[in-house]
Amino acid sequence: QVQLVESGGGLVKPGGSLRLSCAASGFNFNDYYMTWIRQAPGRGLEWVSYISGSGTIINYADSVKGRFTISRDNTKKSLYLQMNSLRGDDTAVYYCARHKDPGVGAASKWGQGTPVTVSS
Amino acid sequence: DIVMTQSPDSLAVSLGERATINCKSSQSLLYSSNNENYLAWYQQKPRQPPKLLFYWASTRESGVPDRFSASGSGTDFTLTISSLQAEDVAVYYCQQYFSTPYTFGQGTQLEVK
């Protein structure tokens, strides 16, 4: 069965960096677009970034562009999110998710999320 | 950016009754080349990740009970639960994937009256 397991979250000071990882299993990882979606405490969902199966197509939300970098290692079936210059409004649970199909930007499989807290 | 607006923000419905949630986009989500609406619906229960219910506006994801239905086209979309069950208490979100940045509605909290 499909499994997505995030790791790497934690407490970081403003201006600091974190690297989130997502380990995938149970499907042909390189066939699927992958995405990061976040949810601030008590708030709604915010799309952060996606990456194509080959890694050649990448998009970011304006709120993270220039600070966050999405990447993947298909040999390790892993997705990453490098987060730099972190701010308080980046505090959220970060979910790794798989797109339903290429061309369908709906997230059909989700991890349990990893919390990121940006605070001094 | 495409703005997604859901209504109402919260909804209380009696068990066995119908629940209807609306989602409006600031521009059309209908792609003329394939006649598909680039809209998804999700359900999020407390302390759980969201679960995909529908994509292409009305295509039910595998395993979703048929008391859930979705419809709409262009800029106006609806999620309907025909007979509310206790396990349907959740926050429901619509999301457009027509163009980046993908955007979500603010969510609708569904409760039992």
Side-chain angles (χ1 to χ4, degrees):
Chain A
Q1 72 281 19
V2 173
Q3 273 203 309
L4 298 169
V5 180
E6 302 95 336
S7 60
L11 175 64
V12 62
K13 290 181 168 51
S17 298
L18 273 180
R19 188 193 195 209
L20 306 184
S21 299
C22 173
S25 60
F27 64 100
N28 291 327
F29 183 69
N30 50 307
D31 285 345
Y32 287 88
Y33 279 56
M34 298 294 296
T35 192
W36 289 99
I37 293 166
R38 67 185 181 182
Q39 187 169 34
R43 304 294 296 274
L45 301 169
E46 181 186 14
W47 172 79
V48 173
S49 179
Y50 74 62
I51 186 169
S52 63
S54 63
T56 56
I57 300 172
I58 288 174
N59 268 288
Y60 297 100
D62 288 345
S63 58
V64 307
K65 201 173 294 182
R67 300 187 300 122
F68 290 12
T69 302
I70 192 171
S71 62
R72 64 192 295 159
D73 184 335
N74 287 345
T75 65
K76 295 182 178 178
K77 293 190 173 184
S78 292
L79 176 71
Y80 305 102
L81 187 67
Q82 177 67 44
M83 304 187 296
N84 299 330
S85 304
L86 283 161
R87 312 184 304 219
D89 60 359
D90 295 318
T91 295
V93 173
Y94 284 73
Y95 293 103
C96 160
R98 190 193 82 179
H99 281 196
K100 172 67 179 175
D101 284 308
V104 185
S108 62
K109 302 293 182 186
W110 297 66
Q112 290 298 310
T114 187
V116 171
T117 302
V118 183
S119 175
S120 54
Chain B
D1 298 2
I2 297 176
V3 177
M4 306 299 292
T5 304
Q6 292 180 227
S7 61
D9 289 334
S10 63
L11 180 61
V13 173
S14 300
L15 292 174
E17 296 300 305
R18 178 184 299 263
T20 301
I21 298 170
N22 300 298
C23 174
K24 188 173 185 68
S25 57
S26 61
Q27 64 187 74
S28 177
L29 304 182
L30 178 62
Y31 192 38
S32 55
S33 68
N34 61 5
N35 203 38
E36 294 283 8
N37 287 280
Y38 283 56
L39 181 104
W41 286 99
Y42 299 88
Q43 174 194 64
Q44 187 178 29
K45 296 181 179 180
R47 295 171 295 283
Q48 293 186 21
K51 172 188 174 184
L52 178 65
L53 298 176
F54 293 89
Y55 55 99
W56 295 137
S58 60
T59 301
R60 187 182 291 107
E61 178 71 340
S62 175
V64 174
D66 60 8
R67 65 180 180 274
F68 290 87
S69 63
S71 63
S73 184
T75 61
D76 292 281
F77 302 90
T78 300
L79 174 70
T80 301
I81 306 172
S82 61
S83 176
L84 186 72
Q85 305 299 303
E87 61 264 32
D88 301 334
V89 169
V91 179
Y92 292 84
Y93 295 93
C94 60
Q95 176 224 340
Q96 66 83 16
Y97 51 96
F98 184 88
S99 65
T100 55
Y102 293 166
T103 45
F104 291 86
Q106 79 276 20
T108 295
Q109 174 72 61
L110 177 60
E111 299 171 336
V112 174
K113 186 186 292 182

